[in-house]
Amino acid sequence: MTEPLYRLEGITKDYGERQILQIDSLTIRRREALALVGPSGAGKSTLLRLLNFLETPTNGRIQFQGVSFSADQPLPLPLRRRVTTVFQRPFLLNRSVSANVRYGLRLRGRRVETQAVEAALEQVGLLALAYQPARTLSGGEAQRVALARALVIQPDVLLLDEPTANLDPQNVALIENIVATLNERRGTTLILVTHNIFQARRLAGRAAFMLDGRIVELSDSAAFFNNPRDPRTAAFVRGEMVY
Amino acid sequence: MAQAIELIAAGDPVLLAIVALSLRVSGAALLVSTLLGIPVGAFLGLSRFAGRPFLVTLIYTGMGFPPVVVGLFVYLLLSRSGPLAQVESVLIPALFTPGAMVLAQSIIAFPLVAGFTMSAVMGVDPQLALQVQALGATRWQTALTTLVEARSGVLVSVIAGFGGVISEVGAVMLVGGNIDGKTRVLTTAIVLETRKGNFDLAIALGVILLALTFLANGIMLRLQGQDAH
Ligand SMILES: Nc1ncnc2c1ncn2[C@@H]1O[C@H](COP(=O)(O)OP(=O)(O)OP(=O)(O)O)[C@@H](O)[C@H]1O
Ligand SMILES: [Mg+2]
């Protein structure tokens, strides 16, 4: 049994007086694809920010590849750089498309690998727009640039926060294909937040249901979607949960 | 007016010397205030700490400070009975030299550059910090990227600083003394020539001053127009 990629213990996250997250224990395996589903405001995005080490937990600690991360213990930079996020609302720098994709490599002080940048853009079908100002792109194009920008740094962990919300079916298929291939071929760990149950089913090996900052149920996809244990999960999966 | 244009066209050496000194003094002051003002403005725009509101208030006050009062302050500082009179340093210029004028104008331009840089940086979408950190940026890299993202606004801060010093007359008059061939710049020359009734020369100087500020703004705007390409 190999050591898990992430191990969360006694995590809470407060914003002011409000407790947003309370996760007593969670392990995420190397190379798995995990879907996080749950109603709006459940704390899914907040959990992703913690998993990318962008915010510290109020209590508890996160072990990542055996190294601790907590409120008073930042994660060493090289480890933090093994993880990246594609956010729901992609934020592109006010530069060209290719400069956006190059950005992560630049940060790491690597020589600009034009080939890698072009390959990533090619993968998302945007090579033709490489020298266009990024701010002129459509929503779907911007989302694909955000993905290319993440691909180029070859992360061990790719966090996806509703990466295909508001996209047309073609773009959805393209993005799903890329991340699925990444997970299968390169063994990139995927953690995917989605409101689309079918997408979670297609992509994830395990799924977790979050409600009010807690993980209500976490199990293999087949069990999660076909025979959920918790009635709240069942209601959500059937699309009956009112929120 | 015709005579004024003739003077300019003829390249009158006295006129040229005045223009050159103006550019040198204000250029040096702008350089100093940009080198100090951009980092300070970026820092104030990006961080939160206990004394910050006080410093921000100070900067905002400085942005509207009358140049003549800055001149008075520098004058007292550098005068023979002033606190700096005994200190020997290349950084402390003597009164009635271009160096004193640079010092005064740097003090005038600094809050302009810092203040406008600060608001430019604060105007950047907070999503940026999150996004670039997710891509692996350190705190320094995040700050630098934010500054680059705010580049149009930072450029405006430099224009504002230049406009503030090239056109001010109170401070250079007090600490420079408007000495012919030594500390006479465009603005102080205009005052003098107008008073003497040499309106042609005064107008010529005024036209040059206007043209310079126009040119500087034009260059900056062009740079700004190249944004994002
Ligand atoms: N920086 C913050 N300061 C204060 N409250 C916050 C902050 N970020 C999130 N919250 C609150 O935390 C709760 C969880 O937010 P989060 O964005 O994690 O939910 P989510 O599950 O991603 O929802 P959605 O599906 O709508 O994206 C919300 O009630 C939100 O208002
Ligand atoms: Mg969210």
Side-chain angles (χ1 to χ4, degrees):
Chain A
M1 166 92 200
T2 56
E3 159 216 358
L5 183 64
Y6 283 96
R7 189 195 293 279
L8 280 68
E9 288 158 6
I11 293 289
T12 63
K13 179 68 184 173
D14 301 350
Y15 287 124
E17 300 283 282
R18 261 182 83 203
Q19 186 173 87
I20 300 300
L21 217 56
Q22 185 187 341
I23 295 176
D24 300 329
S25 144
L26 169 67
T27 53
I28 296 169
R29 304 170 185 157
R30 285 172 197 272
R31 299 170 168 264
E32 79 165 314
L34 171 68
L36 295 175
V37 300
S40 189
K44 306 178 297 292
S45 298
T46 305
L47 178 57
L48 287 195
R49 286 196 296 278
L50 292 181
L51 294 174
N52 203 161
F53 316 106
L54 299 172
E55 289 175 12
T56 54
T58 308
N59 292 297
R61 62 179 184 158
I62 299 176
Q63 297 253 44
F64 179 66
Q65 301 191 355
V67 179
S68 280
F69 170 74
S70 66
D72 41 33
Q73 203 172 8
L75 197 77
L77 185 63
L79 268 185
R80 176 157 76 78
R81 285 185 168 167
R82 300 313 310 154
V83 186
T84 193
T85 305
V86 173
F87 293 95
Q88 173 179 4
R89 190 164 65 85
F91 183 93
L92 300 184
L93 299 170
N94 193 7
R95 309 178 186 182
S96 72
V97 166
S98 94
N100 268 277
V101 177
R102 215 176 323 154
Y103 182 79
L105 296 175
R106 278 273 183 83
L107 289 179
R108 287 158 176 77
R110 298 209 205 134
R111 258 191 329 112
V112 177
E113 298 155 50
T114 313
Q115 272 188 333
V117 172
E118 287 182 352
L121 278 172
E122 173 96 75
Q123 230 181 324
V124 299
L126 288 178
L127 192 50
L129 300 184
Y131 297 101
Q132 194 156 315
R135 289 280 164 85
T136 62
L137 299 182
S138 74
E141 289 163 347
Q143 191 62 269
R144 284 186 280 156
V145 172
L147 181 61
R149 182 166 66 174
L151 295 178
V152 79
I153 56 181
Q154 305 195 310
D156 291 342
V157 184
L158 182 57
L159 308 173
L160 300 158
D161 199 347
E162 300 178 38
T164 59
N166 314 317
L167 292 190
D168 62 281
Q170 229 175 339
N171 272 317
V172 173
L174 181 95
I175 287 183
E176 283 188 8
N177 253 318
I178 291 172
V179 299
T181 312
L182 208 61
N183 176 243
E184 283 155 21
R185 301 261 166 82
R186 272 201 77 244
T188 305
T189 305
L190 296 183
I191 302 166
L192 166 78
V193 170
T194 180
H195 281 292
N196 182 337
I197 297 294
F198 301 102
Q199 179 170 62
R201 254 180 144 137
R202 281 195 293 272
L203 291 173
R206 291 202 303 164
F209 178 58
M210 284 185 75
L211 191 61
D212 296 332
R214 293 159 199 264
I215 293 179
V216 170
E217 178 164 355
L218 168 63
S219 52
D220 289 344
S221 282
F224 186 93
F225 292 109
N226 299 327
N227 298 305
R229 268 172 290 139
D230 195 286
R232 291 166 297 179
T233 313
F236 186 81
V237 168
R238 284 197 308 271
E240 287 167 8
M241 181 165 278
V242 190
Y243 54 86
Chain B
M1 187 71 201
Q3 257 173 306
I5 291 168
E6 246 168 65
L7 273 172
I8 298 170
D12 181 61
V14 175
L15 202 69
L16 283 183
I18 291 174
V19 172
L21 185 66
S22 283
L23 286 178
R24 254 178 45 221
V25 167
S26 294
L30 191 64
L31 189 70
V32 171
S33 54
T34 299
L35 289 177
L36 296 174
I38 290 180
V40 168
F43 178 73
L44 287 176
L46 290 171
S47 49
R48 299 283 171 273
F49 54 95
R52 185 180 172 276
F54 175 73
L55 291 179
V56 170
T57 310
L58 215 60
I59 296 266
Y60 281 149
T61 309
M63 288 171 83
F65 224 58
V68 66
V69 178
V70 174
L72 174 64
F73 169 74
V74 172
Y75 188 97
L76 295 174
L77 210 62
L78 298 181
S79 71
R80 214 165 297 163
S81 51
L84 295 180
Q86 317 305 329
V87 191
E88 287 290 329
S89 161
V90 283
L91 285 177
I92 299 167
L95 264 183
F96 310 123
T97 63
M101 295 152 79
V102 170
L103 177 62
Q105 292 203 337
S106 299
I107 295 173
I108 294 166
F110 168 78
L112 289 168
V113 176
F116 281 114
T117 297
M118 179 178 72
S119 20
V121 160
M122 282 164 61
V124 172
D125 190 335
Q127 269 284 116
L128 174 131
L130 215 56
Q131 177 64 74
V132 300
Q133 274 160 24
L135 289 167
T138 62
R139 288 183 59 158
W140 278 108
Q141 289 172 325
T142 306
L144 196 65
T145 303
T146 307
L147 203 54
V148 173
E149 198 70 6
R151 58 194 175 274
S152 316
V154 174
L155 221 49
V156 168
S157 82
V158 178
I159 301 178
F162 183 74
V165 291
I166 193 75
S167 60
E168 73 84 20
V169 56
V172 279
M173 188 72 103
L174 274 181
V175 305
N178 196 21
I179 302 167
D180 191 12
K182 200 178 155 215
T183 59
R184 182 161 301 164
V185 292
L186 281 167
T187 52
T188 53
I190 290 172
V191 172
L192 184 75
E193 299 305 335
T194 305
R195 240 187 241 142
K196 289 202 303 200
N198 293 337
F199 296 117
D200 291 328
L201 188 51
I203 290 171
L205 292 161
V207 167
I208 294 174
L209 185 55
L210 271 177
L212 280 178
T213 43
F214 188 78
L215 200 72
N217 286 325
I219 292 170
M220 295 286 187
L221 281 174
R222 268 205 67 126
L223 288 174
Q224 210 178 339
Q226 280 164 13
D227 223 352
H229 295 294

